[in-house]
CSV table of all heavy atoms in Angstrom, one decimal:
chain,number,residue,atom,x,y,z
A,563,LEU,N,28.5,-155.0,172.4
A,563,LEU,CA,28.2,-153.7,172.8
A,563,LEU,C,26.8,-153.6,173.3
A,563,LEU,O,26.5,-152.9,174.3
A,563,LEU,CB,28.4,-152.7,171.7
A,563,LEU,CG,29.9,-152.4,171.3
A,563,LEU,CD1,29.9,-151.5,170.1
A,563,LEU,CD2,30.7,-151.8,172.5
A,564,PHE,N,25.8,-154.3,172.6
A,564,PHE,CA,24.4,-154.3,173.0
A,564,PHE,C,24.3,-154.9,174.4
A,564,PHE,O,23.6,-154.4,175.3
A,564,PHE,CB,23.6,-155.0,172.0
A,564,PHE,CG,22.2,-155.2,172.4
A,564,PHE,CD1,21.2,-154.2,172.4
A,564,PHE,CD2,21.8,-156.5,172.9
A,564,PHE,CE1,19.9,-154.4,172.8
A,564,PHE,CE2,20.5,-156.7,173.3
A,564,PHE,CZ,19.5,-155.7,173.2
A,565,CYS,N,24.9,-156.1,174.6
A,565,CYS,CA,24.8,-156.8,175.9
A,565,CYS,C,25.4,-156.0,177.0
A,565,CYS,O,24.9,-156.0,178.1
A,565,CYS,CB,25.6,-158.1,175.8
A,565,CYS,SG,24.7,-159.3,174.6
A,566,LEU,N,26.6,-155.3,176.7
A,566,LEU,CA,27.2,-154.5,177.8
A,566,LEU,C,26.3,-153.3,178.1
A,566,LEU,O,26.1,-153.0,179.3
A,566,LEU,CB,28.5,-154.0,177.3
A,566,LEU,CG,29.7,-155.0,177.2
A,566,LEU,CD1,30.9,-154.4,176.6
A,566,LEU,CD2,30.0,-155.6,178.6
A,567,ARG,N,25.6,-152.7,177.1
A,567,ARG,CA,24.8,-151.6,177.4
A,567,ARG,C,23.6,-152.0,178.2
A,567,ARG,O,23.2,-151.4,179.2
A,567,ARG,CB,24.3,-150.9,176.1
A,567,ARG,CG,23.4,-149.8,176.2
A,567,ARG,CD,22.9,-149.3,174.9
A,567,ARG,NE,22.1,-150.3,174.3
A,567,ARG,CZ,20.8,-150.5,174.5
A,567,ARG,NH1,20.2,-149.9,175.5
A,567,ARG,NH2,20.1,-151.5,173.9
A,568,LEU,N,23.0,-153.1,177.8
A,568,LEU,CA,21.8,-153.6,178.5
A,568,LEU,C,22.1,-154.1,179.9
A,568,LEU,O,21.4,-153.9,180.9
A,568,LEU,CB,21.1,-154.7,177.7
A,568,LEU,CG,19.8,-155.3,178.2
A,568,LEU,CD1,18.8,-154.1,178.3
A,568,LEU,CD2,19.3,-156.4,177.3
A,569,GLY,N,23.3,-154.8,180.0
A,569,GLY,CA,23.7,-155.4,181.3
A,569,GLY,C,24.0,-154.3,182.3
A,569,GLY,O,23.7,-154.5,183.5
A,570,THR,N,24.5,-153.2,181.9
A,570,THR,CA,24.9,-152.2,182.9
A,570,THR,C,23.7,-151.5,183.5
A,570,THR,O,23.7,-150.9,184.6
A,570,THR,CB,25.8,-151.1,182.3
A,570,THR,OG1,25.1,-150.6,181.1
A,570,THR,CG2,27.1,-151.7,181.9
A,571,SER,N,22.5,-151.5,182.8
A,571,SER,CA,21.3,-150.9,183.3
A,571,SER,C,20.3,-151.8,183.9
A,571,SER,O,19.3,-151.4,184.3
A,571,SER,CB,20.6,-150.2,182.1
A,571,SER,OG,20.2,-151.1,181.1
A,572,CYS,N,20.7,-153.1,184.0
A,572,CYS,CA,19.8,-154.1,184.6
A,572,CYS,C,20.1,-154.3,186.1
A,572,CYS,O,21.3,-154.5,186.4
A,572,CYS,CB,19.9,-155.4,183.9
A,572,CYS,SG,18.6,-156.6,184.3
A,573,PRO,N,19.2,-154.2,187.0
A,573,PRO,CA,19.4,-154.4,188.4
A,573,PRO,C,20.1,-155.8,188.7
A,573,PRO,O,19.8,-156.8,188.0
A,573,PRO,CB,18.1,-154.3,189.1
A,573,PRO,CG,17.2,-153.6,188.1
A,573,PRO,CD,17.7,-154.0,186.7
A,574,GLN,N,20.9,-155.8,189.7
A,574,GLN,CA,21.5,-157.1,190.1
A,574,GLN,C,20.4,-158.1,190.5
A,574,GLN,O,19.4,-157.7,191.1
A,574,GLN,CB,22.5,-156.8,191.3
A,574,GLN,CG,23.3,-158.0,191.7
A,574,GLN,CD,24.3,-157.7,192.7
A,574,GLN,OE1,24.3,-156.6,193.3
A,574,GLN,NE2,25.2,-158.7,193.1
A,575,SER,N,20.6,-159.3,190.2
A,575,SER,CA,19.7,-160.4,190.5
A,575,SER,C,18.4,-160.4,189.7
A,575,SER,O,17.5,-161.1,189.9
A,575,SER,CB,19.3,-160.5,192.0
A,575,SER,OG,20.4,-160.6,192.8
A,576,CYS,N,18.4,-159.6,188.7
A,576,CYS,CA,17.3,-159.5,187.8
A,576,CYS,C,17.7,-159.9,186.4
A,576,CYS,O,18.9,-159.9,186.0
A,576,CYS,CB,16.7,-158.1,187.8
A,576,CYS,SG,16.1,-157.5,189.4
A,577,GLN,N,16.7,-160.1,185.5
A,577,GLN,CA,16.9,-160.4,184.1
A,577,GLN,C,16.2,-159.4,183.3
A,577,GLN,O,15.0,-159.1,183.6
A,577,GLN,CB,16.4,-161.8,183.7
A,577,GLN,CG,17.2,-162.9,184.4
A,577,GLN,CD,16.7,-164.3,183.9
A,577,GLN,OE1,15.7,-164.4,183.3
A,577,GLN,NE2,17.5,-165.3,184.2
A,578,CYS,N,16.8,-158.8,182.3
A,578,CYS,CA,16.2,-157.8,181.5
A,578,CYS,C,16.2,-158.3,180.1
A,578,CYS,O,17.3,-158.5,179.4
A,578,CYS,CB,17.0,-156.5,181.6
A,578,CYS,SG,17.1,-155.7,183.2
A,579,LEU,N,15.0,-158.5,179.5
A,579,LEU,CA,14.8,-159.0,178.2
A,579,LEU,C,14.3,-157.9,177.3
A,579,LEU,O,13.3,-157.3,177.5
A,579,LEU,CB,13.8,-160.2,178.2
A,579,LEU,CG,14.2,-161.3,179.2
A,579,LEU,CD1,13.1,-162.3,179.2
A,579,LEU,CD2,15.5,-161.9,179.0
A,580,ASP,N,15.1,-157.7,176.2
A,580,ASP,CA,14.8,-156.6,175.3
A,580,ASP,C,14.0,-157.2,174.1
A,580,ASP,O,14.3,-158.2,173.5
A,580,ASP,CB,16.1,-155.9,174.8
A,580,ASP,CG,15.8,-154.8,173.9
A,580,ASP,OD1,15.6,-155.0,172.7
A,580,ASP,OD2,15.8,-153.6,174.3
A,581,HIS,N,12.9,-156.4,173.7
A,581,HIS,CA,12.2,-156.8,172.5
A,581,HIS,C,11.8,-155.5,171.8
A,581,HIS,O,10.9,-154.8,172.2
A,581,HIS,CB,10.9,-157.6,172.9
A,581,HIS,CG,10.1,-158.0,171.7
A,581,HIS,ND1,10.5,-158.9,170.8
A,581,HIS,CD2,8.8,-157.6,171.4
A,581,HIS,CE1,9.5,-159.0,169.9
A,581,HIS,NE2,8.5,-158.2,170.2
A,582,GLU,N,12.5,-155.3,170.7
A,582,GLU,CA,12.2,-154.1,169.8
A,582,GLU,C,12.2,-152.8,170.6
A,582,GLU,O,11.4,-152.0,170.5
A,582,GLU,CB,10.8,-154.3,169.1
A,582,GLU,CG,10.8,-155.5,168.2
A,582,GLU,CD,9.4,-155.6,167.5
A,582,GLU,OE1,8.5,-154.8,167.9
A,582,GLU,OE2,9.3,-156.5,166.6
A,583,GLY,N,13.2,-152.7,171.5
A,583,GLY,CA,13.4,-151.5,172.2
A,583,GLY,C,12.7,-151.4,173.5
A,583,GLY,O,12.9,-150.5,174.3
A,584,ALA,N,11.8,-152.4,173.8
A,584,ALA,CA,11.0,-152.4,175.0
A,584,ALA,C,11.6,-153.5,175.9
A,584,ALA,O,11.9,-154.6,175.5
A,584,ALA,CB,9.6,-152.7,174.8
A,585,VAL,N,11.8,-153.2,177.2
A,585,VAL,CA,12.5,-154.1,178.1
A,585,VAL,C,11.5,-154.7,179.1
A,585,VAL,O,10.7,-153.9,179.7
A,585,VAL,CB,13.6,-153.4,178.8
A,585,VAL,CG1,14.3,-154.3,179.8
A,585,VAL,CG2,14.6,-152.8,177.8
A,586,ALA,N,11.6,-156.0,179.3
A,586,ALA,CA,10.8,-156.6,180.4
A,586,ALA,C,11.8,-157.0,181.5
A,586,ALA,O,12.8,-157.7,181.2
A,586,ALA,CB,10.1,-157.9,179.8
A,587,VAL,N,11.6,-156.5,182.7
A,587,VAL,CA,12.5,-156.7,183.8
A,587,VAL,C,11.9,-157.7,184.8
A,587,VAL,O,10.8,-157.5,185.3
A,587,VAL,CB,12.8,-155.4,184.5
A,587,VAL,CG1,13.8,-155.6,185.7
A,587,VAL,CG2,13.3,-154.3,183.6
A,588,HIS,N,12.6,-158.8,184.9
A,588,HIS,CA,12.1,-159.9,185.8
A,588,HIS,C,13.0,-160.0,187.0
A,588,HIS,O,14.2,-160.4,186.9
A,588,HIS,CB,12.1,-161.3,185.0
A,588,HIS,CG,11.2,-161.3,183.9
A,588,HIS,ND1,9.9,-161.9,184.0
A,588,HIS,CD2,11.3,-160.9,182.6
A,588,HIS,CE1,9.3,-161.8,182.8
A,588,HIS,NE2,10.1,-161.2,182.0
A,589,CYS,N,12.4,-159.7,188.2
A,589,CYS,CA,13.1,-159.7,189.5
A,589,CYS,C,12.4,-160.6,190.5
A,589,CYS,O,12.5,-160.4,191.7
A,589,CYS,CB,13.3,-158.3,190.1
A,589,CYS,SG,14.1,-157.1,189.0
A,590,SER,N,11.6,-161.6,190.0
A,590,SER,CA,10.8,-162.4,190.8
A,590,SER,C,11.7,-163.3,191.7
A,590,SER,O,12.7,-163.8,191.3
A,590,SER,CB,9.9,-163.3,190.0
A,590,SER,OG,9.1,-162.5,189.1
A,591,ALA,N,11.2,-163.4,193.0
A,591,ALA,CA,11.9,-164.3,193.9
A,591,ALA,C,13.4,-164.1,194.0
A,591,ALA,O,14.2,-165.1,193.9
A,591,ALA,CB,11.6,-165.8,193.6
A,592,SER,N,13.8,-162.9,194.1
A,592,SER,CA,15.2,-162.5,194.2
A,592,SER,C,15.7,-162.1,195.5
A,592,SER,O,16.8,-161.6,195.7
A,592,SER,CB,15.5,-161.4,193.1
A,592,SER,OG,15.2,-161.8,191.8
A,593,GLY,N,14.8,-162.2,196.5
A,593,GLY,CA,15.2,-161.8,197.9
A,593,GLY,C,15.3,-160.3,198.1
A,593,GLY,O,15.9,-159.9,199.1
A,594,LEU,N,14.7,-159.5,197.2
A,594,LEU,CA,14.8,-158.1,197.4
A,594,LEU,C,14.0,-157.6,198.6
A,594,LEU,O,12.9,-158.0,198.8
A,594,LEU,CB,14.3,-157.4,196.1
A,594,LEU,CG,15.0,-157.8,194.8
A,594,LEU,CD1,14.3,-157.1,193.6
A,594,LEU,CD2,16.5,-157.3,194.8
A,595,GLN,N,14.6,-156.6,199.3
A,595,GLN,CA,13.9,-156.0,200.4
A,595,GLN,C,13.4,-154.6,200.1
A,595,GLN,O,12.8,-154.0,200.9
A,595,GLN,CB,14.8,-156.0,201.6
A,595,GLN,CG,15.2,-157.4,202.1
A,595,GLN,CD,16.0,-157.4,203.4
A,595,GLN,OE1,16.3,-156.4,203.9
A,595,GLN,NE2,16.4,-158.6,203.9
A,596,GLU,N,13.8,-154.1,199.0
A,596,GLU,CA,13.3,-152.8,198.5
A,596,GLU,C,13.3,-152.7,197.0
A,596,GLU,O,13.8,-153.6,196.3
A,596,GLU,CB,14.3,-151.7,199.1
A,596,GLU,CG,15.7,-151.8,198.6
A,596,GLU,CD,16.6,-150.7,199.2
A,596,GLU,OE1,16.2,-150.1,200.1
A,596,GLU,OE2,17.7,-150.6,198.6
């Protein structure tokens, strides 16, 4: 359930790492144009 909740709110091509309720979002070098 935690993974599903976190996964649904994470942008595509990004990684969202949770640490004690704080999220680090890594979208480096993902080809994003916006």
